[in-house]
Amino acid sequence: MKRLGVMAALPQELGDLLTQMRASGDVQTVTLGQREYHVGAVRGANVVATLARVGKVAAATTASALIHAFEADAIVFTGVAGGVHADVRVGDIVVADSLMQHDLDASPLFPRYEVPLLNRSRFDADRALSAALANAAQAFIAEEGQALAARFSIDKPRVHRGLIVSGDQFIASAGSVNALRDALPNALAVEMEGAALAQVCYEYGVPCAVVRTISDTADAEAPASFAEFLIAIASTYSSGMLARFFKA
Ligand code: ADE
């Protein structure tokens, strides 16, 4: 790999990556399209790290810039998500096997969820990158699980692999999350960027992977749970997982 792109939507979701890059050597910051791209290294791996901000368009434009302006030849997205599947709890980690846009519907011209003229609705995450992320997540939980329980009352978090769905909506009601469950029973988690990244990476033939910590369960408690998790906990997860990912 020549250079790994690392994206998150919000600063807490990137953890201490920029600090780690600065500790590893020079970091050059370039502003493009109102975003800052930080080019440097972590433990000998060339990295370009950036904050995409929120939503599918933000993720797609940022992914395209990572590939074309910063020569990223693989991209990892780290952040939080709402739990959709009944087995997925706050504090668990979900690594995407595949991703789709739950709000894409050009029916009856094209089947619901299908990206028009691309002939597909699901985009696979890269297997090797996803396996490395899942291993890092597993190691983080094994080594830090007791500290998470003591600091944040997170009980026996688990790592899941499967479908992550993305859309330009913050899902925050029982009705909305139940509708998602009914429509897409395999969906583990919902967020607002991953499938856009996956589509761009598919179109350009660039491997990508998405790891998400569950901040809420996409119900009426979601706004409060999300805000608390983002401020107090998200950075601990992203830092812990990325440190182990780059150590491997
Ligand atoms: N990211 C974190 N929680 C989310 C939710 N409930 N809906 C959409 N994106 C999210």
Side-chain angles (χ1 to χ4, degrees):
M1 192 185 303
K2 271 196 334 232
R3 186 182 280 156
L4 178 71
V6 181
M7 290 169 69
L10 301 169
Q12 294 86 349
E13 298 177 298
L14 214 46
D16 66 356
L17 180 62
L18 298 184
T19 306
Q20 296 301 329
M21 289 170 71
R22 291 190 182 110
S24 295
D26 271 358
V27 177
Q28 286 200 328
T29 298
V30 180
T31 302
L32 182 69
Q34 302 188 17
R35 283 162 182 75
E36 290 187 342
Y37 295 83
H38 307 278
V39 184
V42 182
R43 289 182 170 266
N46 292 326
V47 170
V48 50
T50 190
L51 294 175
R53 306 206 287 256
V54 177
K56 294 191 299 177
V57 175
T61 56
T62 307
S64 182
L66 281 173
I67 294 166
H68 297 106
F70 297 96
E71 298 182 329
D73 54 2
I75 300 179
V76 163
F77 198 111
T78 172
V80 299
V84 173
H85 200 278
D87 291 346
V88 175
R89 297 182 305 175
V90 171
D92 285 1
I93 297 168
V94 178
V95 177
D97 283 341
S98 62
L99 301 107
M100 61 189 288
Q101 299 174 48
H102 68 78
D103 58 351
L104 180 49
D105 187 356
S107 62
L109 304 180
F110 297 91
R112 190 175 177 190
Y113 308 119
E114 186 170 302
V115 180
L117 309 180
L118 205 56
N119 226 7
R120 63 169 55 230
S121 53
R122 279 190 190 226
F123 297 90
D124 291 336
D126 181 72
R127 280 187 190 211
L129 267 184
S130 303
L133 278 180
N135 286 341
Q138 208 74 62
F140 168 67
I141 278 176
E143 290 158 24
E144 304 290 334
Q146 286 196 333
L148 293 174
R151 280 179 69 195
F152 309 120
S153 314
I154 288 172
D155 186 32
K156 298 193 183 69
R158 292 186 299 167
V159 179
H160 308 264
R161 309 275 304 263
L163 176 66
I164 291 181
V165 297
S166 313
D168 285 314
Q169 291 147 12
F170 186 81
I171 305 294
S173 73
S176 305
V177 71
N178 283 334
L180 263 186
R181 284 188 194 120
D182 289 345
L184 298 164
N186 294 332
L188 298 181
V190 62
E191 35 86 313
M192 301 178 69
E193 296 86 19
L197 166 69
Q199 180 180 333
V200 171
C201 285
Y202 171 81
E203 292 179 353
Y204 289 110
V206 171
C208 73
V210 176
V211 59
R212 295 283 188 170
T213 307
I214 300 303
S215 58
D216 61 87
T217 44
D219 51 14
E221 317 319 306
S225 182
F226 167 83
E228 186 191 341
F229 198 96
L230 187 71
I231 289 164
I233 315 176
S235 174
T236 301
Y237 270 80
S238 288
S239 303
M241 288 190 285
L242 288 177
R244 287 161 179 87
F245 175 76
F246 283 112
K247 209 158 62 180

